Amino acid sequence: MVTKTVEENCYRIESNQLDVYSAASLEEDMTNIFQKGFTSLYLDFSNVEEVSSSILGLLLYKKMIYRKQGVNLYLINVNPQVFKILKILNLNGHLLP
């Protein structure tokens, strides 16, 4: 579900739809990525067209956990649909750089 990009500390989400069924896989991938000891982690959302509330909750939870350990989590290349959801929920300031 998550693959490394050529950019440092950046990983692309390969799935176009993130929902409750993909949450466990995403959480596992994020845990594996975190173990590499980055200070910043960027998730490339260019492929993501739909995101559920369970995924947003997971991202906020991971951001909180990572921050306690000195790692910043950001979403990049967010498409307009997902950006609109983030903005409506006032999460754009929390998850976007």
Side-chain angles (χ1 to χ4, degrees), residues 32 64 69:
N32 292 335
M64 179 186 69
Q69 298 182 20

Side-chain angles (χ1 to χ4, degrees), residues 3-12 14 44 76:
T3 59
K4 177 79 174 110
T5 66
V6 293
E7 299 172 36
E8 186 177 346
N9 303 343
C10 184
Y11 292 83
R12 179 176 295 121
E14 295 299 331
D44 183 342
I76 59 171

Side-chain angles (χ1 to χ4, degrees), residues 56-87:
L56 294 175
L58 171 64
L59 291 171
L60 290 171
Y61 171 74
K62 285 295 191 181
K63 183 170 182 81
M64 179 186 69
I65 296 297
Y66 289 176
R67 184 175 292 158
K68 288 180 181 177
Q69 298 182 20
V71 178
N72 293 312
L73 173 67
Y74 299 109
L75 307 182
I76 59 171
N77 300 324
V78 176
N79 77 30
Q81 257 179 287
V82 175
F83 179 80
K84 186 175 181 180
I85 292 169
L86 293 174
K87 190 170 181 174

Side-chain angles (χ1 to χ4, degrees), residues 2-70:
V2 177
T3 59
K4 177 79 174 110
T5 66
V6 293
E7 299 172 36
E8 186 177 346
N9 303 343
C10 184
Y11 292 83
R12 179 176 295 121
I13 305 295
E14 295 299 331
S15 178
N16 66 345
Q17 182 178 3
L18 296 176
D19 56 19
V20 68
Y21 303 109
S22 56
S25 177
L26 179 60
E27 182 173 15
E28 182 179 334
D29 288 348
M30 289 179 71
T31 299
N32 292 335
I33 291 167
F34 176 75
Q35 294 174 356
K36 296 181 181 179
F38 298 137
T39 57
S40 293
L41 177 62
Y42 299 92
L43 295 179
D44 183 342
F45 262 51
S46 56
N47 292 332
V48 179
E49 297 172 6
E50 295 179 30
V51 62
S52 73
S53 60
S54 61
I55 295 296
L56 294 175
L58 171 64
L59 291 171
L60 290 171
Y61 171 74
K62 285 295 191 181
K63 183 170 182 81
M64 179 186 69
I65 296 297
Y66 289 176
R67 184 175 292 158
K68 288 180 181 177
Q69 298 182 20

